[in-house]
Amino acid sequence: MMNQRIQAHFQESAELKTRAAAELAEPISQAVELMFTALSNGNKILACGNGGSAADCQHFAAELVGRFERERLPLPALALTTDTSIMTAVGNDYSFNDIFSKQVQAFGQAGDILLALSTSGNSANVLAAVDAALERDMRIVALTGKGGGTIGKRLTEADVHICVPHDRTARIQEVHLLTIHCICDGIDVALFGEDLHE
């Protein structure tokens, strides 16, 4: 019984990834172009999200600051989910909804990118960060699911919305991780060209 349940998880995940590939290839490509242009111009990428999405932000920042699959200079990416003193101070003195937007106001500049992750598209603190980024003339790459929620409606034509076509949080997160890897690979390809070994 348990083996069947496990196999069902794998099957559902595989089917979603195959289906999502066709829908998401273009917005992922747009996200790569937006991020590469920003990085080439000396700008940086800020990332925010809650729970599993917070972990994805940190994963993304680690791949850019360290490396993905090829040796290169560090690229400026910052996860806004890691400084517990900032998050608890802002959460305590203001509101949990402000923990990311205050950091966007502090660190974000025109031309920077905000990578905003929310599986529902309705996370209030991520939405507040999106608003703060738009006020600072930053561009947004939003990773959502479940139709995109309020965040999807808030984006402008200059932003990129990567909305996973599914309603189950675990499946959305799995595609978000694959999307992050695609973006990191795309940035490497933009920097160095196609890998001859692939």
Side-chain angles (χ1 to χ4, degrees), residues 84-145:
T84 54
S85 294
I86 290 176
M87 290 193 297
T88 54
V90 172
N92 184 62
D93 296 347
Y94 298 93
S95 161
F96 186 72
N97 289 347
D98 296 325
I99 62 170
F100 300 137
S101 59
K102 290 279 189 188
Q103 294 185 77
V104 170
Q105 290 166 347
F107 304 127
Q109 297 176 327
D112 289 347
I113 306 290
L114 177 68
L115 177 62
L117 285 82
S118 171
T119 57
S120 68
N122 294 317
S123 301
N125 55 9
V126 177
L127 181 60
V130 167
D131 289 340
L134 291 172
E135 287 170 8
R136 300 186 78 76
D137 201 25
M138 296 169 60
R139 297 280 63 87
I140 317 297
V141 173
L143 271 60
T144 69

Short mmCIF file of all heavy atoms in Angstrom, two decimals, residues 84-145:
data_model
loop_
_atom_site.label_atom_id
_atom_site.label_comp_id
_atom_site.label_asym_id
_atom_site.label_seq_id
_atom_site.Cartn_x
_atom_site.Cartn_y
_atom_site.Cartn_z
N THR A 84 17.81 36.36 10.97
CA THR A 84 16.78 36.21 12.00
C THR A 84 16.63 37.47 12.85
O THR A 84 15.53 37.75 13.33
CB THR A 84 17.09 35.01 12.92
OG1 THR A 84 18.42 35.15 13.45
CG2 THR A 84 16.99 33.70 12.16
N SER A 85 17.70 38.22 13.02
CA SER A 85 17.58 39.46 13.81
C SER A 85 16.71 40.48 13.09
O SER A 85 15.85 41.12 13.71
CB SER A 85 18.97 40.05 14.08
OG SER A 85 19.71 39.20 14.92
N ILE A 86 16.93 40.65 11.78
CA ILE A 86 16.08 41.57 11.02
C ILE A 86 14.64 41.09 11.03
O ILE A 86 13.71 41.85 11.31
CB ILE A 86 16.58 41.72 9.56
CG1 ILE A 86 17.89 42.50 9.52
CG2 ILE A 86 15.52 42.41 8.70
CD1 ILE A 86 18.51 42.59 8.14
N MET A 87 14.43 39.80 10.74
CA MET A 87 13.07 39.30 10.61
C MET A 87 12.31 39.37 11.94
O MET A 87 11.13 39.75 11.96
CB MET A 87 13.07 37.87 10.07
CG MET A 87 13.50 37.83 8.60
SD MET A 87 13.16 36.25 7.81
CE MET A 87 14.19 35.16 8.77
N THR A 88 12.98 39.04 13.03
CA THR A 88 12.28 39.08 14.31
C THR A 88 12.10 40.51 14.80
O THR A 88 11.07 40.83 15.41
CB THR A 88 13.01 38.24 15.38
OG1 THR A 88 14.38 38.67 15.47
CG2 THR A 88 12.95 36.76 15.03
N ALA A 89 13.05 41.39 14.53
CA ALA A 89 12.89 42.80 14.92
C ALA A 89 11.74 43.44 14.16
O ALA A 89 10.87 44.10 14.76
CB ALA A 89 14.19 43.58 14.68
N VAL A 90 11.74 43.26 12.85
CA VAL A 90 10.67 43.85 12.03
C VAL A 90 9.33 43.21 12.37
O VAL A 90 8.31 43.89 12.51
CB VAL A 90 10.99 43.72 10.53
CG1 VAL A 90 9.80 44.16 9.67
CG2 VAL A 90 12.23 44.55 10.18
N GLY A 91 9.34 41.87 12.53
CA GLY A 91 8.10 41.18 12.87
C GLY A 91 7.54 41.63 14.21
O GLY A 91 6.32 41.77 14.37
N ASN A 92 8.41 41.87 15.17
CA ASN A 92 8.00 42.28 16.50
C ASN A 92 7.60 43.76 16.55
O ASN A 92 6.58 44.11 17.14
CB ASN A 92 9.13 42.03 17.50
CG ASN A 92 8.73 42.36 18.92
OD1 ASN A 92 7.82 41.74 19.46
ND2 ASN A 92 9.42 43.31 19.52
N ASP A 93 8.42 44.62 15.93
CA ASP A 93 8.19 46.07 16.04
C ASP A 93 7.14 46.58 15.06
O ASP A 93 6.51 47.61 15.31
CB ASP A 93 9.50 46.83 15.79
CG ASP A 93 10.55 46.54 16.85
OD1 ASP A 93 10.19 45.96 17.90
OD2 ASP A 93 11.73 46.87 16.62
N TYR A 94 6.98 45.89 13.94
CA TYR A 94 6.02 46.32 12.92
C TYR A 94 4.98 45.23 12.70
O TYR A 94 3.97 45.19 13.35
CB TYR A 94 6.74 46.68 11.62
CG TYR A 94 7.72 47.82 11.78
CD1 TYR A 94 9.07 47.57 12.06
CD2 TYR A 94 7.31 49.14 11.67
CE1 TYR A 94 9.97 48.62 12.22
CE2 TYR A 94 8.19 50.19 11.83
CZ TYR A 94 9.53 49.92 12.11
OH TYR A 94 10.40 50.95 12.28
N SER A 95 5.29 44.30 11.79
CA SER A 95 4.37 43.21 11.46
C SER A 95 5.12 42.16 10.68
O SER A 95 6.08 42.47 9.96
CB SER A 95 3.21 43.76 10.61
OG SER A 95 2.55 42.72 9.92
N PHE A 96 4.69 40.91 10.81
CA PHE A 96 5.29 39.83 10.01
C PHE A 96 5.15 40.12 8.52
O PHE A 96 5.98 39.71 7.72
CB PHE A 96 4.65 38.49 10.37
CG PHE A 96 5.29 37.30 9.70
CD1 PHE A 96 6.55 36.85 10.10
CD2 PHE A 96 4.66 36.63 8.67
CE1 PHE A 96 7.14 35.75 9.49
CE2 PHE A 96 5.25 35.53 8.04
CZ PHE A 96 6.50 35.09 8.47
N ASN A 97 4.10 40.86 8.16
CA ASN A 97 3.89 41.20 6.75
C ASN A 97 4.97 42.12 6.21
O ASN A 97 5.09 42.28 4.99
CB ASN A 97 2.51 41.85 6.56
CG ASN A 97 1.38 40.86 6.72
OD1 ASN A 97 1.60 39.65 6.74
ND2 ASN A 97 0.17 41.36 6.84
N ASP A 98 5.76 42.74 7.09
CA ASP A 98 6.77 43.71 6.67
C ASP A 98 8.19 43.14 6.61
O ASP A 98 9.14 43.86 6.27
CB ASP A 98 6.79 44.91 7.62
CG ASP A 98 5.48 45.68 7.59
OD1 ASP A 98 4.87 45.79 6.51
OD2 ASP A 98 5.06 46.19 8.66
N ILE A 99 8.37 41.85 6.94
CA ILE A 99 9.74 41.34 7.09
C ILE A 99 10.54 41.35 5.79
O ILE A 99 11.76 41.48 5.82
CB ILE A 99 9.76 39.91 7.71
CG1 ILE A 99 9.05 38.90 6.81
CG2 ILE A 99 9.19 39.92 9.11
CD1 ILE A 99 9.25 37.45 7.25
N PHE A 100 9.87 41.24 4.66
CA PHE A 100 10.58 41.28 3.38
C PHE A 100 10.57 42.68 2.77
O PHE A 100 11.57 43.12 2.19
CB PHE A 100 9.99 40.28 2.39
CG PHE A 100 10.05 38.85 2.86
CD1 PHE A 100 8.95 38.00 2.69
CD2 PHE A 100 11.19 38.33 3.47
CE1 PHE A 100 9.00 36.68 3.12
CE2 PHE A 100 11.24 37.01 3.90
CZ PHE A 100 10.14 36.19 3.72
N SER A 101 9.45 43.38 2.88
CA SER A 101 9.34 44.71 2.26
C SER A 101 10.34 45.69 2.85
O SER A 101 10.93 46.51 2.13
CB SER A 101 7.92 45.26 2.37
OG SER A 101 7.52 45.37 3.72
N LYS A 102 10.58 45.62 4.17
CA LYS A 102 11.57 46.51 4.79
C LYS A 102 12.96 46.25 4.21
O LYS A 102 13.74 47.17 3.98
CB LYS A 102 11.61 46.29 6.31
CG LYS A 102 10.38 46.79 7.05
CD LYS A 102 10.45 48.27 7.28
CE LYS A 102 9.33 48.72 8.22
NZ LYS A 102 9.27 50.20 8.31
N GLN A 103 13.27 44.97 3.95
CA GLN A 103 14.57 44.63 3.39
C GLN A 103 14.67 45.07 1.93
O GLN A 103 15.74 45.51 1.47
CB GLN A 103 14.83 43.13 3.52
CG GLN A 103 14.98 42.67 4.96
CD GLN A 103 15.35 41.21 5.05
OE1 GLN A 103 16.50 40.83 4.82
NE2 GLN A 103 14.37 40.38 5.36
N VAL A 104 13.58 44.96 1.19
CA VAL A 104 13.58 45.46 -0.19
C VAL A 104 13.83 46.96 -0.19
O VAL A 104 14.61 47.48 -1.00
CB VAL A 104 12.24 45.12 -0.89
CG1 VAL A 104 12.13 45.85 -2.24
CG2 VAL A 104 12.11 43.62 -1.11
N GLN A 105 13.19 47.67 0.74
CA GLN A 105 13.40 49.12 0.84
C GLN A 105 14.85 49.44 1.22
O GLN A 105 15.41 50.43 0.76
CB GLN A 105 12.44 49.72 1.86
CG GLN A 105 10.99 49.70 1.40
CD GLN A 105 10.00 49.99 2.53
OE1 GLN A 105 10.35 49.96 3.70
NE2 GLN A 105 8.75 50.25 2.15
N ALA A 106 15.45 48.60 2.04
CA ALA A 106 16.82 48.84 2.49
C ALA A 106 17.86 48.49 1.43
O ALA A 106 18.84 49.22 1.25
CB ALA A 106 17.10 48.04 3.77
N PHE A 107 17.65 47.37 0.73
CA PHE A 107 18.68 46.84 -0.15
C PHE A 107 18.38 47.00 -1.64
O PHE A 107 19.29 46.94 -2.46
CB PHE A 107 18.93 45.35 0.13
CG PHE A 107 19.28 45.04 1.55
CD1 PHE A 107 18.57 44.09 2.28
CD2 PHE A 107 20.33 45.70 2.18
CE1 PHE A 107 18.90 43.80 3.60
CE2 PHE A 107 20.67 45.42 3.50
CZ PHE A 107 19.95 44.47 4.21
N GLY A 108 17.11 47.15 -1.99
CA GLY A 108 16.72 47.17 -3.39
C GLY A 108 16.96 48.51 -4.05
O GLY A 108 16.77 49.56 -3.43
N GLN A 109 17.40 48.45 -5.30
CA GLN A 109 17.62 49.65 -6.09
C GLN A 109 17.00 49.47 -7.46
O GLN A 109 16.76 48.34 -7.90
CB GLN A 109 19.12 49.92 -6.23
CG GLN A 109 19.82 50.21 -4.90
CD GLN A 109 21.31 50.39 -5.07
OE1 GLN A 109 21.93 49.77 -5.93
NE2 GLN A 109 21.90 51.24 -4.25
N ALA A 110 16.75 50.56 -8.16
CA ALA A 110 16.21 50.50 -9.51
C ALA A 110 17.09 49.60 -10.36
O ALA A 110 18.31 49.69 -10.32
CB ALA A 110 16.12 51.90 -10.11
N GLY A 111 16.46 48.71 -11.10
CA GLY A 111 17.20 47.78 -11.96
C GLY A 111 17.46 46.44 -11.32
O GLY A 111 17.80 45.47 -12.02
N ASP A 112 17.31 46.34 -9.99
CA ASP A 112 17.45 45.05 -9.32
C ASP A 112 16.23 44.18 -9.64
O ASP A 112 15.19 44.67 -10.10
CB ASP A 112 17.54 45.24 -7.80
CG ASP A 112 18.87 45.83 -7.35
OD1 ASP A 112 19.81 45.87 -8.17
OD2 ASP A 112 18.96 46.25 -6.18
N ILE A 113 16.35 42.90 -9.33
CA ILE A 113 15.27 41.94 -9.54
C ILE A 113 14.81 41.40 -8.19
O ILE A 113 15.64 41.09 -7.33
CB ILE A 113 15.73 40.74 -10.39
CG1 ILE A 113 16.34 41.19 -11.72
CG2 ILE A 113 14.58 39.75 -10.62
CD1 ILE A 113 15.38 41.77 -12.70
N LEU A 114 13.50 41.29 -8.00
CA LEU A 114 12.96 40.56 -6.85
C LEU A 114 12.44 39.22 -7.35
O LEU A 114 11.56 39.17 -8.21
CB LEU A 114 11.83 41.34 -6.18
CG LEU A 114 11.16 40.60 -5.00
CD1 LEU A 114 12.13 40.49 -3.81
CD2 LEU A 114 9.86 41.28 -4.58
N LEU A 115 13.00 38.14 -6.80
CA LEU A 115 12.47 36.80 -7.05
C LEU A 115 11.49 36.51 -5.92
O LEU A 115 11.91 36.35 -4.77
CB LEU A 115 13.59 35.77 -7.08
CG LEU A 115 13.18 34.31 -7.25
CD1 LEU A 115 12.47 34.09 -8.59
CD2 LEU A 115 14.37 33.37 -7.13
N ALA A 116 10.20 36.49 -6.24
CA ALA A 116 9.15 36.36 -5.23
C ALA A 116 8.49 35.00 -5.36
O ALA A 116 7.92 34.68 -6.40
CB ALA A 116 8.11 37.47 -5.42
N LEU A 117 8.59 34.18 -4.30
CA LEU A 117 8.02 32.83 -4.33
C LEU A 117 6.83 32.72 -3.40
O LEU A 117 6.92 33.08 -2.22
CB LEU A 117 9.07 31.80 -3.93
CG LEU A 117 10.15 31.45 -4.96
CD1 LEU A 117 11.26 32.48 -4.94
CD2 LEU A 117 10.72 30.07 -4.69
N SER A 118 5.73 32.24 -3.94
CA SER A 118 4.53 31.98 -3.13
C SER A 118 3.70 30.94 -3.87
O SER A 118 3.21 31.20 -4.97
CB SER A 118 3.71 33.26 -2.93
OG SER A 118 2.46 32.97 -2.33
N THR A 119 3.55 29.76 -3.29
CA THR A 119 2.83 28.69 -3.99
C THR A 119 1.37 29.06 -4.25
O THR A 119 0.80 28.66 -5.25
CB THR A 119 2.90 27.36 -3.22
OG1 THR A 119 2.38 27.54 -1.91
CG2 THR A 119 4.33 26.84 -3.15
N SER A 120 0.79 29.86 -3.35
CA SER A 120 -0.61 30.29 -3.51
C SER A 120 -0.72 31.58 -4.30
O SER A 120 -1.78 31.89 -4.85
CB SER A 120 -1.26 30.49 -2.14
OG SER A 120 -0.67 31.61 -1.48
N GLY A 121 0.36 32.36 -4.31
CA GLY A 121 0.31 33.69 -4.90
C GLY A 121 -0.35 34.70 -3.98
O GLY A 121 -0.59 35.85 -4.39
N ASN A 122 -0.62 34.32 -2.74
CA ASN A 122 -1.34 35.19 -1.81
C ASN A 122 -0.60 35.50 -0.52
O ASN A 122 -1.19 36.09 0.40
CB ASN A 122 -2.71 34.57 -1.47
CG ASN A 122 -3.64 34.52 -2.67
OD1 ASN A 122 -3.73 35.48 -3.43
ND2 ASN A 122 -4.31 33.40 -2.84
N SER A 123 0.68 35.15 -0.41
CA SER A 123 1.42 35.41 0.82
C SER A 123 1.54 36.92 1.04
O SER A 123 2.12 37.63 0.21
CB SER A 123 2.83 34.80 0.73
OG SER A 123 2.74 33.41 0.51
N ALA A 124 1.00 37.39 2.16
CA ALA A 124 0.91 38.84 2.40
C ALA A 124 2.28 39.49 2.45
O ALA A 124 2.46 40.60 1.92
CB ALA A 124 0.14 39.11 3.69
N ASN A 125 3.26 38.84 3.08
CA ASN A 125 4.58 39.47 3.18
C ASN A 125 5.32 39.47 1.85
O ASN A 125 6.10 40.38 1.57
CB ASN A 125 5.42 38.85 4.30
CG ASN A 125 5.59 37.35 4.20
OD1 ASN A 125 5.21 36.74 3.21
ND2 ASN A 125 6.13 36.74 5.24
N VAL A 126 5.08 38.48 1.01
CA VAL A 126 5.68 38.45 -0.32
C VAL A 126 5.01 39.51 -1.20
O VAL A 126 5.68 40.23 -1.95
CB VAL A 126 5.58 37.05 -0.96
CG1 VAL A 126 6.14 37.05 -2.38
CG2 VAL A 126 6.30 36.02 -0.10
N LEU A 127 3.70 39.65 -1.08
CA LEU A 127 2.98 40.69 -1.82
C LEU A 127 3.48 42.08 -1.42
O LEU A 127 3.68 42.95 -2.29
CB LEU A 127 1.47 40.57 -1.56
CG LEU A 127 0.59 41.58 -2.28
CD1 LEU A 127 0.74 41.46 -3.80
CD2 LEU A 127 -0.87 41.40 -1.87
N ALA A 128 3.72 42.29 -0.13
CA ALA A 128 4.25 43.58 0.34
C ALA A 128 5.63 43.84 -0.25
O ALA A 128 5.97 44.97 -0.60
CB ALA A 128 4.30 43.62 1.86
N ALA A 129 6.44 42.79 -0.37
CA ALA A 129 7.77 42.93 -0.99
C ALA A 129 7.64 43.28 -2.46
O ALA A 129 8.41 44.10 -2.98
CB ALA A 129 8.56 41.64 -0.80
N VAL A 130 6.69 42.67 -3.15
CA VAL A 130 6.43 42.98 -4.56
C VAL A 130 6.08 44.46 -4.70
O VAL A 130 6.62 45.17 -5.56
CB VAL A 130 5.32 42.08 -5.14
CG1 VAL A 130 4.82 42.61 -6.48
CG2 VAL A 130 5.81 40.64 -5.27
N ASP A 131 5.18 44.94 -3.84
CA ASP A 131 4.79 46.36 -3.89
C ASP A 131 5.98 47.27 -3.65
O ASP A 131 6.17 48.27 -4.34
CB ASP A 131 3.69 46.63 -2.87
CG ASP A 131 2.35 46.03 -3.25
OD1 ASP A 131 2.15 45.73 -4.46
OD2 ASP A 131 1.51 45.83 -2.36
N ALA A 132 6.81 46.93 -2.66
CA ALA A 132 7.99 47.73 -2.34
C ALA A 132 8.96 47.73 -3.52
O ALA A 132 9.57 48.76 -3.85
CB ALA A 132 8.67 47.21 -1.08
N ALA A 133 9.12 46.59 -4.17
CA ALA A 133 10.02 46.49 -5.32
C ALA A 133 9.52 47.33 -6.49
O ALA A 133 10.31 48.04 -7.14
CB ALA A 133 10.18 45.03 -5.73
N LEU A 134 8.23 47.28 -6.75
CA LEU A 134 7.67 48.06 -7.84
C LEU A 134 7.84 49.56 -7.58
O LEU A 134 8.12 50.33 -8.50
CB LEU A 134 6.19 47.71 -8.04
CG LEU A 134 5.91 46.31 -8.58
CD1 LEU A 134 4.43 45.99 -8.55
CD2 LEU A 134 6.47 46.15 -9.99
N GLU A 135 7.70 49.96 -6.31
CA GLU A 135 7.90 51.37 -5.95
C GLU A 135 9.34 51.81 -6.20
O GLU A 135 9.59 52.99 -6.45
CB GLU A 135 7.55 51.58 -4.47
CG GLU A 135 6.06 51.54 -4.17
CD GLU A 135 5.78 51.51 -2.68
OE1 GLU A 135 6.73 51.67 -1.87
OE2 GLU A 135 4.60 51.32 -2.31
N ARG A 136 10.27 50.87 -6.13
CA ARG A 136 11.69 51.19 -6.31
C ARG A 136 12.15 50.96 -7.75
O ARG A 136 13.35 50.97 -8.03
CB ARG A 136 12.54 50.37 -5.34
CG ARG A 136 12.19 50.62 -3.88
CD ARG A 136 13.12 49.93 -2.93
NE ARG A 136 14.40 50.62 -2.80
CZ ARG A 136 14.57 51.74 -2.11
NH1 ARG A 136 13.56 52.30 -1.48
NH2 ARG A 136 15.76 52.30 -2.04
N ASP A 137 11.20 50.74 -8.66
CA ASP A 137 11.51 50.50 -10.07
C ASP A 137 12.37 49.26 -10.26
O ASP A 137 13.27 49.23 -11.10
CB ASP A 137 12.18 51.73 -10.71
CG ASP A 137 12.05 51.72 -12.23
OD1 ASP A 137 11.10 51.09 -12.74
OD2 ASP A 137 12.91 52.32 -12.91
N MET A 138 12.10 48.24 -9.45
CA MET A 138 12.70 46.93 -9.64
C MET A 138 11.77 46.10 -10.51
O MET A 138 10.58 46.40 -10.61
CB MET A 138 12.91 46.24 -8.28
CG MET A 138 13.90 46.94 -7.37
SD MET A 138 13.89 46.30 -5.66
CE MET A 138 14.33 44.58 -5.91
N ARG A 139 12.30 45.06 -11.10
CA ARG A 139 11.48 44.12 -11.86
C ARG A 139 11.24 42.89 -11.00
O ARG A 139 12.07 42.54 -10.15
CB ARG A 139 12.16 43.72 -13.17
CG ARG A 139 12.37 44.89 -14.13
CD ARG A 139 11.12 45.27 -14.93
NE ARG A 139 10.00 45.74 -14.16
CZ ARG A 139 9.81 47.01 -13.78
NH1 ARG A 139 10.70 47.92 -14.06
NH2 ARG A 139 8.74 47.35 -13.10
N ILE A 140 10.13 42.20 -11.24
CA ILE A 140 9.74 41.03 -10.44
C ILE A 140 9.76 39.78 -11.31
O ILE A 140 9.27 39.79 -12.43
CB ILE A 140 8.30 41.19 -9.89
CG1 ILE A 140 8.04 42.59 -9.36
CG2 ILE A 140 8.00 40.11 -8.85
CD1 ILE A 140 8.87 43.01 -8.20
N VAL A 141 10.31 38.70 -10.75
CA VAL A 141 10.09 37.36 -11.28
C VAL A 141 9.32 36.62 -10.19
O VAL A 141 9.85 36.41 -9.10
CB VAL A 141 11.40 36.63 -11.61
CG1 VAL A 141 11.12 35.18 -12.00
CG2 VAL A 141 12.15 37.36 -12.73
N ALA A 142 8.07 36.29 -10.46
CA ALA A 142 7.22 35.65 -9.45
C ALA A 142 7.03 34.18 -9.79
O ALA A 142 6.65 33.84 -10.92
CB ALA A 142 5.86 36.34 -9.37
N LEU A 143 7.31 33.32 -8.82
CA LEU A 143 7.04 31.89 -8.94
C LEU A 143 5.84 31.59 -8.06
O LEU A 143 5.90 31.73 -6.84
CB LEU A 143 8.25 31.06 -8.48
CG LEU A 143 9.31 30.72 -9.53
CD1 LEU A 143 9.92 31.98 -10.12
CD2 LEU A 143 10.37 29.82 -8.94
N THR A 144 4.73 31.18 -8.69
CA THR A 144 3.50 30.92 -7.96
C THR A 144 2.90 29.59 -8.43
O THR A 144 3.51 28.84 -9.17
CB THR A 144 2.46 32.05 -8.19
OG1 THR A 144 2.02 31.99 -9.56
CG2 THR A 144 3.03 33.43 -7.89
N GLY A 145 1.69 29.34 -7.99
CA GLY A 145 0.88 28.22 -8.43
C GLY A 145 -0.57 28.57 -8.14
O GLY A 145 -0.89 29.72 -7.82
#
